[in-house]
Amino acid sequence: MAKNLVIVESPAKAKTIEGYLGKDFIVKSSFGHVRDLAKKGEAIDIENGFAPKYEVSPDKKQVVAELKKLAKEAEVIWLATDEDREGEAISWHLYETLGLSKKKTHRITFNEITKSAITKAIESPREINKELVDAQQARRILDRLVGFELSPVLWRKVRPSLSAGRVQSVAVRLIVEKEREIEKFQTESFYKVVAEFKTENGKIKANVSRQLKSEEEATKLLEECKTGEFAIADVTRKPVTKRPVAPFTTSTLQQEASLKLGFTVSRTMSVAQRLYESGRITYMRTDSVNLSDTAVNGAKAEIVKAYGAEFSNPQQYTTKSSGAQEAHEAIRPTDFSVHSVDAEGDEARLYELIWKRAISSQMSNAELERTTIKIEANGVSETFQAKGEIIKFEGFLKVYLESDIEEMDEDEDSGLLPDVAEGEIVEQEYISATQRFSRPPARYVEASLVKKLEGLGIGRPSTYAPTISTIQKRGYVEKPDRPGVERSYKRLTLTDGEVSTEMLTETTGKEKNKLAPTDIGIVVTDFLSEHFGRIMDYNFTAKVEEEFDEIAKGLTQWTKMLEEFYTPFHSTVEDTLENSERATGEREIGTHPESGRRIIARIGRFGPMVQIGDEQVDGEKPEFASLRANQSINTITLEEALDLFKLPRTLGEMEGQPVKANVGRFGPYVQLGKLFASIPKEEDPMTIDYDRAVELIKEKREADAKKVIKTFPENEDVQLLNGRWGPYLKIGRKNFKLPKDVEPEKLTLEECIEISENQPAPRKGRAKKKK
């Protein structure tokens, strides 16, 4: 048996490390955390210093048993989980759960999985850093308390099955506020004037730097230009230096991978994790831009070899983030001589991005010359201006140019400009004044939301991706595809002394992958902002992050921090439960044209809906209709609301039963008796015809037939079905996992009942509250 047991948190990491160690070492994975706060009973004893009750996860019992056995047989146990707080906590939980002794247990960390890094770590082990563990515990306990106490408030005051989180709720608030900025925005039109001039050495495209406010002003300028003799009024050339940017942190990697590769934040982290675990890059959760001396020297050697000594400029960068965690390195390749990797598409693309960013950070500045040409004419009130750049020395631009997360400005440089002299006469080819429109603030994409959260000091490298994933999974935020709307605009053009006018069209407002709040997201945000202002405050949320940092440095007791947070928070929870009104986001749309009854839009038990009448006001039962996927309670019109009450539509008969089209809790569908078939999102329940409905019904029957493995005539509620993750048991509305190695086709009714009885529905645990 091996003398040394090394425990890491992932199988891929274990496989890579095992290749670097000799036969005296065995490397095993814990598959992440082996235990967590208890799900049942009192997970946190608030009255006893917030003492947490941990339990081994059911799916980790076998892992723990194997690790215990191996640990007992080994002479030395090396806890080699990641170097951040989460990794430190995993090591501590392993130490406690496996019953390890301090004498034979070593903690080792490394920020890259290479032979030299592993060897160096084994030569300098340390003990578990309890301050880092306490910081992770404090975050975990605080987030559990907030979630478990806020969620029931939302169930009672907004809608059942909702949940809230400390950082997630603040992230949703940012998106809601951005949406309101967009709604308030008033678009204004203006005219942009562009001209093309002919010179002896080529053409110049120039524009008027200011916006003209009206068609009249644009027309007046073009009339002035009819007789104007244009000449070069000024030529300015000045040197410009562009400096490389720092190597990636977690947030800048997420931003750049979004802009350059189109990756979501979670996709970026998943791919980066694989690159790290295979030994290709350093640790991917970091807010440091520092590079080790070894890395700086490695980059220098590769730059000199690949590009020449003049391209090398070794340097260090300083971290801007005041709340930067432990002294990690920036994200970089483990070997700068490897320009690209032979891996699956995503890994190869992300590695190339990381390599380029890291190597360029150690390269020379780029030297450019920026030229500005001004063109004027007597009697013409405006000056035309052209800008261009030429590269004198590429420097780092030979490898990499950072993307701009903000939307590109329309006034881009003209590139290379012809050689002209002051006073030179130029000939106008055309001058056009095009109607443009001011743009509302841009909705967040995942990358810009990460940038905003980091700028506010909210969250840390390990939390950005899960935060953004969670707010979408909970249905508070979505990424709707907006097809845009057609808009007309005018263009006035002066050519050959004549001004012509033409009407053109364009599509505006087309969007994809932009984050927008759902109706329920807006209602929950407004409710939490009204009653839990402290939790929803950006500065307060950032202050909590700073307190976690202080715990990690040993400057603050984690229990004291929790006490100061929890006492006022719990008081607010009790007051809100007792005294607040229900929140529905109710908005009056108008009155019914025939009955005169009031029509409102609001959040109902099953989501956004419209309602005609109120029994308490007019004595009649109200009518209800669900909103469709592209509708919102904040913007739906009276006409659109009335259309919803035209559903269900009866399209005809099939097999002696009516075929109906309707909109329900899960979207539009067609119905035949007890069979419901979803209508694809690009089709409309208001226009779908009988033939198409029958087609959908037949498709649903075929899919259902393939889904069913076995049914029992003596109890129709019990079914064995094929699901997305394999066969499962369904009894009524409840689903149950099947034990491994069973053949679903051979199960009897009695065996199915026994399986269900041995799988009690999981209950969520609650913290023991102060009285």
Side-chain angles (χ1 to χ4, degrees), residues 20 287 357 529 563 640:
Y20 298 135
D287 40 21
R357 175 79 167 226
S529 297
E563 176 73 38
E640 289 167 341

Side-chain angles (χ1 to χ4, degrees), residues 674-731:
K674 290 185 178 181
L675 185 145
F676 298 85
S678 294
I679 296 174
K681 66 178 182 180
E682 63 273 9
E683 298 180 44
D684 192 334
M686 296 299 295
T687 57
I688 192 169
D689 62 18
Y690 174 78
D691 290 340
R692 176 61 177 143
V694 169
E695 195 179 316
L696 290 173
I697 289 165
K698 288 179 178 177
E699 286 173 6
K700 182 71 166 74
R701 278 179 171 169
E702 285 176 23
D704 286 350
K706 290 176 185 174
K707 186 178 177 183
V708 176
I709 299 171
K710 189 174 184 179
T711 57
F712 301 91
E714 60 268 43
N715 189 337
E716 292 182 358
D717 280 346
V718 181
Q719 295 176 294
L720 288 158
L721 304 171
N722 276 313
R724 187 179 176 189
W725 312 113
Y728 67 97
L729 169 65
K730 183 175 186 180
I731 301 180

Side-chain angles (χ1 to χ4, degrees), residues 81 95 152 192 295 300 326 457 501-502 510 550 566 598 602 607 667 711 716 770:
T81 52
Y95 181 87
K192 180 182 177 182
K300 179 182 177 180
E326 299 75 49
T501 302
E502 58 182 328
K510 187 175 182 179
E550 288 177 3
Y566 181 75
R598 179 170 169 259
R602 66 178 180 87
T711 57
E716 292 182 358
K770 277 188 172 180

